[in-house]
Amino acid sequence: SPIDTAKFVAAKRAVDFIEDGMRVGLGTGSTAAWMVRCLGERIREEGLKITGVPTSSRTAELARQVGVKVISLDEARWLDLTIDGADEFDADLNLIKGGGGALLQEKIVATASDMMIVITDPSKQVEHLGAFPLPVEVVPFGWQTTKALIEESLGSLDVLGQTGTLRMNGDAPFVTDEGNHIVDLHLQRIGDPRKLSLVLNQIPGVVENGLFIDICDKVVIGHQDGRVEVTD
Ligand code: DER
């Protein structure tokens, strides 16, 4: 499909940044999956020697299938490069991530990397973050209270919407790789993403949120006609 072409060309371009001997963070989502497949091809065709640190169990599974040597973040300690997708990115390269529910491991791995490259298609580019519901990872204990505290905290912030919804997986709450739940915040527009991220992470019961501030270094935008843009 055209959108798959856009994701594929972005993923393929990003894999060109990977050099022999690198420790690479492997993102989660459909665009990141194209990246893992392209990486597997480079390993097979060029004998590229790298190790990969996955950001979710499903990425780990795919990486092994295509022949990437998978190691844990604890074994790698620090990474040279992480390549991951995003749900939104703005002009400051701040992101909303977490649509796939892997935001906690994604943010830890991206922060442990010298460089983060985000692979996208034009639908992810926004003037202001917030049209995509902001995922907030919360511990299961007292999650309804935590959700209420989150909504209450929004009152003093520059956001338009103020409701959160518990993310479901069928008729049960969605459970992350870490065993937590996700509350999706329907904010419509986030005026000050940095402040919102700090306020959210102070709330007891909140583990992490999907705002990536000052983490992304490059965005690769793939287009359905095969064109690719790289933005620093
Ligand atoms: O969940 C995530 O953070 C994913 O990377 C998401 O942001 C992008 O997923 P997509 O590539 O399937 O659109």
Side-chain angles (χ1 to χ4, degrees):
S1 75
I3 199 68
D4 264 334
T5 303
K7 294 181 177 190
F8 173 76
V9 295
K12 191 157 181 52
R13 177 66 187 84
V15 165
D16 291 345
F17 288 99
I18 298 174
E19 293 166 12
D20 219 41
M22 276 191 173
R23 289 166 299 188
V24 183
L26 306 175
T28 295
S30 60
T31 316
W34 282 117
M35 178 274 297
V36 172
R37 294 186 192 103
C38 292
L39 175 55
E41 196 176 322
R42 280 200 65 192
I43 290 169
R44 282 192 303 280
E45 291 182 358
E46 302 170 31
L48 194 67
K49 294 238 173 322
I50 60 105
T51 49
V53 175
T55 55
S56 64
S57 44
R58 59 188 188 279
T59 291
E61 178 58 37
L62 176 60
R64 289 190 187 97
Q65 277 170 18
V66 302
V68 177
K69 184 174 184 311
V70 169
I71 62 171
S72 69
L73 179 57
D74 286 328
E75 286 169 284
R77 298 297 300 274
W78 302 102
L79 307 178
D80 301 291
L81 169 63
T82 283
I83 303 175
D84 201 346
D87 296 297
E88 285 185 344
F89 70 91
D90 68 10
D92 298 321
L93 305 193
N94 290 326
L95 317 173
I96 285 186
K97 282 180 60 53
L103 67 115
L104 178 57
Q105 291 189 13
E106 289 174 330
K107 200 185 267 191
I108 295 169
V109 167
T111 305
S113 305
D114 288 344
M115 176 183 279
M116 182 193 198
I117 297 178
V118 164
I119 47 182
T120 66
D121 58 81
S123 72
K124 313 300 185 59
Q125 189 163 22
V126 295
E127 179 83 22
H128 299 283
L129 297 175
F132 188 92
L134 176 61
V136 181
E137 185 154 341
V138 300
V139 299
F141 175 84
W143 68 265
Q144 299 195 68
T145 303
T146 305
K147 177 171 166 300
L149 287 169
I150 290 170
E151 290 168 338
E152 201 180 282
S153 77
L154 299 173
S156 63
L157 295 171
D158 176 13
V159 295
L160 291 182
Q162 300 201 358
T163 55
T165 54
L166 179 71
R167 187 179 298 187
M168 302 299 284
N169 181 13
D171 50 15
F174 178 86
V175 178
T176 69
D177 278 352
E178 306 304 304
N180 296 319
H181 293 327
I182 289 184
V183 172
D184 289 303
L185 296 185
H186 304 271
L187 303 176
Q188 295 153 42
R189 182 186 182 289
I190 299 170
D192 183 341
R194 186 187 308 275
K195 185 173 179 192
L196 174 58
S197 184
L198 289 169
V199 165
L200 287 172
N201 283 5
Q202 297 302 312
I203 298 170
V206 171
V207 177
E208 192 48 82
N209 70 81
L211 285 167
F212 282 50
I213 310 295
D214 295 336
I215 297 178
C216 173
D217 298 291
K218 277 183 203 300
V219 172
V220 179
I221 308 172
H223 294 267
Q224 58 189 41
D225 63 5
R227 269 180 319 115
V228 180
E229 296 169 73
V230 181
T231 309
D232 296 285

